[in-house]
Amino acid sequence: MERRATIKDVAEAAGVGVATVSRVLSGGSASPQTRERVLAAAAQLDYRPSALGRNLRQRRTGGMGLLVPDLTDTFHAQLAEGVLAYARSAGEHVVLGSTAGDPEQESELIGMLLEQSVDRLIAVPSGDEETWAPAIRAGMTVVFADRLPARPSSDDDPSTTAVNDLMLLDGLSSAVRPRPLDVPSVLADDRAGIRTAVRYLRGLGHKRIAFLGGPGHDRRVTAFREAVGAPVDEELVVFGTGSRDSAYAAASGLFQSRPDLSAVVAGGNVLGEAAVLAARELDLRVPRDVSLVMYDDVPWAELCSPPLTVIAQPGRDMGYRAAELVLRSGGRRPRGVVLPTELIIRGSCGPHR
Amino acid sequence: MERRATIKDVAEAAGVGVATVSRVLSGGSASPQTRERVLAAAAQLDYRPSALGRNLRQRRTGGMGLLVPDLTDTFHAQLAEGVLAYARSAGEHVVLGSTAGDPEQESELIGMLLEQSVDRLIAVPSGDEETWAPAIRAGMTVVFADRLPARPSSDDDPSTTAVNDLMLLDGLSSAVRPRPLDVPSVLADDRAGIRTAVRYLRGLGHKRIAFLGGPGHDRRVTAFREAVGAPVDEELVVFGTGSRDSAYAAASGLFQSRPDLSAVVAGGNVLGEAAVLAARELDLRVPRDVSLVMYDDVPWAELCSPPLTVIAQPGRDMGYRAAELVLRSGGRRPRGVVLPTELIIRGSCGPHR
DNA sequence: CTGAAAGCGCTAACAA
DNA sequence: TTGTTAGCGCTTTCAG
């Protein structure tokens, strides 16, 4: 690798000082002729400013980090494409990490980004607020996408609720709970999406509607409970851990333990996939025996027979907006964004029989 | 963002010189007690060495770049997951770019990586060898995955074939063609995969087998032609440009213009998707009216009715191996790797009728 | 075994 | 408008 030209080389070639080169190249003021000469010299030497020097000087790497649980989940891929699209238009780079939904890996990746001085980060979080506190404390600009980190359970670690004698108690509550992270986010309107789906199924005559959830689907479950109304049949609310296998296990278990259910709402495309597979395996026909609506619109939803009715969320847009937020938050702390979902009716839901 | 501790802070706290801290932290030699004190001070200050300083000093950013055409193509997502997995295990980071199959964007991204001094790059290339020459010349270690850049067409630019009077002609051929890029690669055994698929279809009695290709599928088309044997019915070999729309158009056009075809081999999962959609739209039943085998095994292949027969290539492994290659090529120029494919027979192929 | 010092390439004061 | 200079945080000779 032959040494690349440095700013010094350009300065010499143009017969000016390095500062002038820097100025010209970053659009500062300079006399037309100086500018001309610098530009010529730079072109001549095929000069490309090194981000290394600049980064060190400015104590920060440009670009942004992007942390998702799993790229083979098409929704995350869509989100990533959105982020990349905005980043490209802004001339910034993206450092990608995939966490497998594991808070520990997430922490490590945050640490890695910190080490690289990447101080902007978009994440589909897996860990809870405790996982994320270090990043915030370190001064990273963080934007959450698709979901928020869980509040740490208040009785998780009793020792933290013990009175610390150096701590100024404001006498409000005995359980001292940190206040929620103040981080902007780009979310889909899960509540509306789920509600619409449940109402749709209700309108079709379904009474026993199940919810198949995964990690990070808390807001969706809550919306589901709310939409079906009390009393909620808790056996009809089941969870996988994020992997395709566990999603399949959850779906299959659900179908087998509650053959009386007539519809299921899958909280994400991996769970929807599992539901279709499990139903087929158990010889349940969709929608004859069971109606299915899946969160996430993905290209293959249309390939199923029948094509899947879905709650579409704009994955790509969400990524795009998140990147926009994380790059343009100039000191301000913009509040998050909630994007609309849409119920796309295809063929996987039928009347209750 | 409160200033992070620097190596200097640690040195002071430990009462040693910065060089000593550097040595201890990178496993150099030091007396046990010195080491102890440095480690203690570092822990105490929560010191994390900044990659910025190190990078500048070593004139290179660690990590690697990864360029793929489109992450929502599940194969690329699998590949990316493989790369990320190896990178994580090696403690390296990954800068991701998506090119949309556009050589120009690819060039820009290469430029961006060069600017960041990322000198290792894994790519599913879209541009031809000319696009890639700059990266190689700049001294990047590149590894191609899934496919190789096309050789530039020799009659592309007639001026390059003119005799340059400063050029030493070795008198071999009049058309001076640059020799192929010497870049290691991780490929699937396309030839075997396609051949197996074609033989399988032949065995089922199919005579008019079509190939639905996309950008970068040259090796697959060649294998296809070879497998079906001369004379090849050229109307049965059609291409999309990479987008889902164009894939659909190609598939639909193929089915409509040649209703006599009885089987199609899709060169990638996006094309397979398009074929399924187009067939359904035209009321062609799979496999009754047309048999389909798709390159790439993706989770949704099993969701189709009937489940798709596929030529599986190990996307994740390919990414993993590529990352391994790009990181461990210590000066050596390892030859590439070819991984086996597997024909997974599901339900989308039937006997010719 | 350890420390002092010289940069890596760049930008931002500060002077001229 | 320009040039000079002082670092950013780190590694790495080179002396001691």
Side-chain angles (χ1 to χ4, degrees), chain B residues 29-43:
Chain B
S29 60
S31 79
Q33 9 177 355
T34 308
R35 171 180 306 278
E36 182 90 9
R37 284 170 49 209
V38 170
L39 258 22

mmCIF file of all heavy atoms in Angstrom, chain B residues 29-43:
data_model
loop_
_atom_site.group_PDB
_atom_site.id
_atom_site.type_symbol
_atom_site.label_atom_id
_atom_site.label_comp_id
_atom_site.label_asym_id
_atom_site.label_seq_id
_atom_site.Cartn_x
_atom_site.Cartn_y
_atom_site.Cartn_z
ATOM 1 N N SER B 29 6.000 -6.529 28.240
ATOM 2 C CA SER B 29 6.661 -6.942 29.469
ATOM 3 C C SER B 29 6.670 -5.814 30.491
ATOM 4 O O SER B 29 6.775 -4.634 30.147
ATOM 5 C CB SER B 29 8.101 -7.378 29.166
ATOM 6 O OG SER B 29 8.804 -6.293 28.601
ATOM 7 N N ALA B 30 6.561 -6.168 31.719
ATOM 8 C CA ALA B 30 6.588 -5.202 32.810
ATOM 9 C C ALA B 30 6.734 -5.989 34.108
ATOM 10 O O ALA B 30 6.320 -7.146 34.188
ATOM 11 C CB ALA B 30 5.310 -4.382 32.846
ATOM 12 N N SER B 31 7.306 -5.359 35.095
ATOM 13 C CA SER B 31 7.447 -6.058 36.374
ATOM 14 C C SER B 31 6.064 -6.249 36.970
ATOM 15 O O SER B 31 5.186 -5.413 36.783
ATOM 16 C CB SER B 31 8.308 -5.235 37.325
ATOM 17 O OG SER B 31 7.555 -4.195 37.891
ATOM 18 N N PRO B 32 5.916 -7.352 37.664
ATOM 19 C CA PRO B 32 4.615 -7.685 38.248
ATOM 20 C C PRO B 32 4.005 -6.510 39.013
ATOM 21 O O PRO B 32 2.815 -6.232 38.874
ATOM 22 C CB PRO B 32 4.965 -8.829 39.214
ATOM 23 C CG PRO B 32 6.147 -9.467 38.596
ATOM 24 C CD PRO B 32 6.924 -8.375 37.916
ATOM 25 N N GLN B 33 4.819 -5.823 39.794
ATOM 26 C CA GLN B 33 4.236 -4.753 40.602
ATOM 27 C C GLN B 33 3.785 -3.588 39.725
ATOM 28 O O GLN B 33 2.725 -3.011 39.935
ATOM 29 C CB GLN B 33 5.207 -4.251 41.645
ATOM 30 C CG GLN B 33 6.609 -4.795 41.495
ATOM 31 C CD GLN B 33 7.542 -4.190 42.530
ATOM 32 O OE1 GLN B 33 7.159 -3.302 43.288
ATOM 33 N NE2 GLN B 33 8.786 -4.654 42.543
ATOM 34 N N THR B 34 4.611 -3.258 38.758
ATOM 35 C CA THR B 34 4.225 -2.170 37.854
ATOM 36 C C THR B 34 2.908 -2.525 37.182
ATOM 37 O O THR B 34 1.967 -1.736 37.161
ATOM 38 C CB THR B 34 5.287 -1.969 36.766
ATOM 39 O OG1 THR B 34 6.553 -1.817 37.387
ATOM 40 C CG2 THR B 34 4.965 -0.743 35.942
ATOM 41 N N ARG B 35 2.889 -3.716 36.657
ATOM 42 C CA ARG B 35 1.696 -4.179 35.979
ATOM 43 C C ARG B 35 0.477 -4.012 36.895
ATOM 44 O O ARG B 35 -0.544 -3.442 36.505
ATOM 45 C CB ARG B 35 1.866 -5.663 35.615
ATOM 46 C CG ARG B 35 0.606 -6.346 35.096
ATOM 47 C CD ARG B 35 0.911 -7.800 34.775
ATOM 48 N NE ARG B 35 2.039 -7.901 33.872
ATOM 49 C CZ ARG B 35 1.944 -7.760 32.559
ATOM 50 N NH1 ARG B 35 0.774 -7.505 32.015
ATOM 51 N NH2 ARG B 35 3.017 -7.860 31.803
ATOM 52 N N GLU B 36 0.649 -4.483 38.078
ATOM 53 C CA GLU B 36 -0.406 -4.398 39.090
ATOM 54 C C GLU B 36 -0.920 -2.963 39.215
ATOM 55 O O GLU B 36 -2.119 -2.689 39.134
ATOM 56 C CB GLU B 36 0.174 -4.859 40.429
ATOM 57 C CG GLU B 36 -0.816 -4.875 41.578
ATOM 58 C CD GLU B 36 -1.503 -6.224 41.656
ATOM 59 O OE1 GLU B 36 -1.067 -7.154 40.931
ATOM 60 O OE2 GLU B 36 -2.472 -6.322 42.413
ATOM 61 N N ARG B 37 0.003 -2.068 39.425
ATOM 62 C CA ARG B 37 -0.394 -0.686 39.675
ATOM 63 C C ARG B 37 -1.098 -0.084 38.473
ATOM 64 O O ARG B 37 -2.094 0.632 38.593
ATOM 65 C CB ARG B 37 0.840 0.147 40.055
ATOM 66 C CG ARG B 37 1.277 -0.144 41.487
ATOM 67 C CD ARG B 37 2.601 0.453 41.815
ATOM 68 N NE ARG B 37 2.728 1.859 41.456
ATOM 69 C CZ ARG B 37 3.893 2.431 41.133
ATOM 70 N NH1 ARG B 37 4.993 1.688 41.123
ATOM 71 N NH2 ARG B 37 3.950 3.701 40.828
ATOM 72 N N VAL B 38 -0.559 -0.362 37.304
ATOM 73 C CA VAL B 38 -1.178 0.163 36.091
ATOM 74 C C VAL B 38 -2.601 -0.367 35.951
ATOM 75 O O VAL B 38 -3.550 0.403 35.728
ATOM 76 C CB VAL B 38 -0.364 -0.231 34.846
ATOM 77 C CG1 VAL B 38 -1.131 0.095 33.576
ATOM 78 C CG2 VAL B 38 0.980 0.473 34.867
ATOM 79 N N LEU B 39 -2.727 -1.670 36.113
ATOM 80 C CA LEU B 39 -4.045 -2.289 35.976
ATOM 81 C C LEU B 39 -5.023 -1.689 36.979
ATOM 82 O O LEU B 39 -6.188 -1.383 36.648
ATOM 83 C CB LEU B 39 -3.923 -3.803 36.200
ATOM 84 C CG LEU B 39 -3.935 -4.677 34.948
ATOM 85 C CD1 LEU B 39 -3.528 -3.913 33.707
ATOM 86 C CD2 LEU B 39 -3.095 -5.921 35.137
ATOM 87 N N ALA B 40 -4.540 -1.500 38.192
ATOM 88 C CA ALA B 40 -5.401 -0.934 39.224
ATOM 89 C C ALA B 40 -5.851 0.462 38.829
ATOM 90 O O ALA B 40 -7.042 0.791 38.874
ATOM 91 C CB ALA B 40 -4.651 -0.895 40.557
ATOM 92 N N ALA B 41 -4.889 1.272 38.432
ATOM 93 C CA ALA B 41 -5.216 2.654 38.055
ATOM 94 C C ALA B 41 -6.211 2.667 36.899
ATOM 95 O O ALA B 41 -7.181 3.438 36.905
ATOM 96 C CB ALA B 41 -3.950 3.395 37.655
ATOM 97 N N ALA B 42 -5.964 1.803 35.919
ATOM 98 C CA ALA B 42 -6.842 1.754 34.756
ATOM 99 C C ALA B 42 -8.261 1.389 35.181
ATOM 100 O O ALA B 42 -9.236 2.038 34.776
ATOM 101 C CB ALA B 42 -6.321 0.747 33.736
ATOM 102 N N ALA B 43 -8.362 0.379 36.009
ATOM 103 C CA ALA B 43 -9.675 -0.057 36.471
ATOM 104 C C ALA B 43 -10.340 1.081 37.243
ATOM 105 O O ALA B 43 -11.516 1.402 37.026
ATOM 106 C CB ALA B 43 -9.541 -1.286 37.348
#
